Amino acid sequence: MTSPQYRRIIRLIALCLGLSSGATQAVEEKPLWEIGAGVAAFSFPSYRGSDQTNNFLMPVPHFTYHGDFLKADRHGIRGSFFDSDRLDLTLSVALSPPVSSKDITARAGMSDLKGTFEIGPEMDVTFWRSDNKARFIKLLMPLRAAITVEGSPKEIGWVFHPKLNMDITDLPGMPGWNLGMLAGPLFGDQKQHAYYYSVDPRYATAGRPAYEAKAGYAGMQYLLALSKRFPGYWLGGFVRYDNLGGSVFEDSPLVRQKDYVAAGAAITWVLGESSTRVMVND
């Protein structure tokens, strides 16, 4: 997917906290819901291709829900339409806050980036799962349409981010610690790429010529996350490498850096949980 900017804040928080909530992925009894709060720290560029780094320390919520249809867990917030041993069809959503262009040198004088909302189907294919279902290899394929969040919402294209996901629980010599690995290419249509990487002639300058982004390949992402559930709290962290080399917009004047490493960590305390218990098979 090609969604740069501070969408990364929300997704990295969700990933960091989500993976930390996977204390075990075998079938087990869990509370129907669980709530809490914590703090997270992140360091990553302003957007994919930016040469400016942002550091954040912020409070974050903790919420899990294991309903028959609606689920909120390490995989994010989604609705499950179909679930089998090998194939899952869910509803995938994502949000991003607005970004002021005056805070980004490369976008100085350009229009601000509005907050966005993404929604669409996600197909997950399980290639391998251990007998106790605690370890697996999956192909995740979310396809989402994006719209701006403002008085008159605008459709800004679609994003597609197929990725191979391998989860390992109870690492050798590290009982209770969980390792998650994700890797895959990103794609977007012309409207999505144009929203972030095109330069309208009216915003062109000597150092920022007019540019029209195209649809297609948007680079690769690789992510490694480690987490553990302790009595009463979760602890997790991640490192992500992002490479825009070969992307259809790599020659945009708004792309100032073609690869970077992002990292973050979070801790959340469980403040309450449902007395109702359900059997969960992640």
Side-chain angles (χ1 to χ4, degrees):
M1 113 188 84
T2 62
S3 47
Q5 301 296 345
Y6 293 122
R7 173 180 292 116
R8 295 302 165 196
I9 297 176
I10 290 180
R11 289 189 183 161
L12 295 181
I13 289 175
L15 180 61
C16 190
L17 300 184
L19 284 175
S20 70
S21 66
T24 175
Q25 286 135 39
V27 178
E28 64 174 319
E29 188 179 72
K30 293 183 179 181
L32 175 63
W33 56 262
E34 189 176 69
I35 60 172
V39 63
F42 298 97
S43 177
F44 54 91
S46 299
Y47 63 91
R48 298 185 66 238
S50 174
D51 57 356
Q52 293 179 240
T53 299
N54 293 311
N55 300 308
F56 295 90
L57 180 65
M58 65 190 74
V60 294
H62 170 89
F63 176 68
T64 61
Y65 184 79
H66 301 292
D68 292 334
F69 173 75
L70 180 64
K71 301 178 187 297
D73 53 24
R74 63 192 176 85
H75 299 297
I77 300 174
R78 66 200 191 281
S80 181
F81 293 105
F82 177 78
D83 188 354
S84 72
D85 287 341
R86 297 296 175 185
L87 191 64
D88 301 326
L89 177 61
T90 64
L91 180 67
S92 178
V93 298
L95 295 169
S96 72
V99 176
S100 175
S101 291
K102 69 179 182 180
D103 297 328
I104 305 173
T105 302
R107 294 187 59 86
M110 297 182 67
S111 57
D112 294 336
L113 298 173
K114 305 297 183 181
T116 66
F117 172 72
E118 296 178 8
I119 186 169
E122 176 176 326
M123 181 71 74
D124 299 340
V125 181
T126 300
F127 294 135
W128 172 83
R129 182 186 286 123
S130 61
D131 291 339
N132 65 355
K133 299 186 178 181
R135 303 179 181 186
F136 62 77
I137 298 176
K138 291 184 177 182
L139 176 63
L140 313 180
M141 296 179 288
L143 175 65
R144 293 191 290 260
I147 60 173
T148 59
V149 179
E150 53 184 326
S152 299
K154 299 177 182 178
E155 191 269 325
I156 54 171
W158 57 264
V159 294
F160 180 51
H161 184 13
K163 46 193 178 287
L164 196 63
N165 172 210
M166 180 176 184
D167 277 14
I168 301 174
T169 63
D170 288 328
L171 292 171
M174 300 175 64
W177 284 96
N178 310 305
L179 177 66
M181 294 173 283
L182 293 167
L186 298 89
F187 302 90
D189 67 356
Q190 193 276 333
K191 187 176 292 187
Q192 171 70 192
H193 290 167
Y195 186 71
Y196 294 102
Y197 298 106
S198 286
V199 178
D200 190 273
R202 59 179 168 162
Y203 295 125
T205 66
R208 188 178 61 201
Y211 180 82
E212 184 174 355
K214 302 175 182 178
Y217 178 66
M220 286 286 296
Q221 281 187 352
Y222 308 86
L223 186 141
L224 182 70
L226 189 66
S227 62
K228 182 175 180 177
R229 167 74 186 257
F230 294 88
Y233 69 95
W234 304 106
L235 180 65
F238 75 92
V239 176
R240 191 191 77 214
Y241 174 67
D242 203 327
N243 191 307
L244 275 66
S247 65
V248 294
F249 51 75
E250 67 174 332
D251 55 347
S252 166
L254 298 179
V255 174
R256 302 294 180 88
Q257 185 171 315
K258 295 184 181 180
D259 66 336
Y260 65 87
V261 174
I267 180 172
T268 63
W269 288 268
V270 178
L271 303 178
E273 64 180 39
S274 168
S275 59
T276 301
R277 317 294 287 189
V278 295
M279 298 305 295
V280 177
N281 177 4
D282 291 336

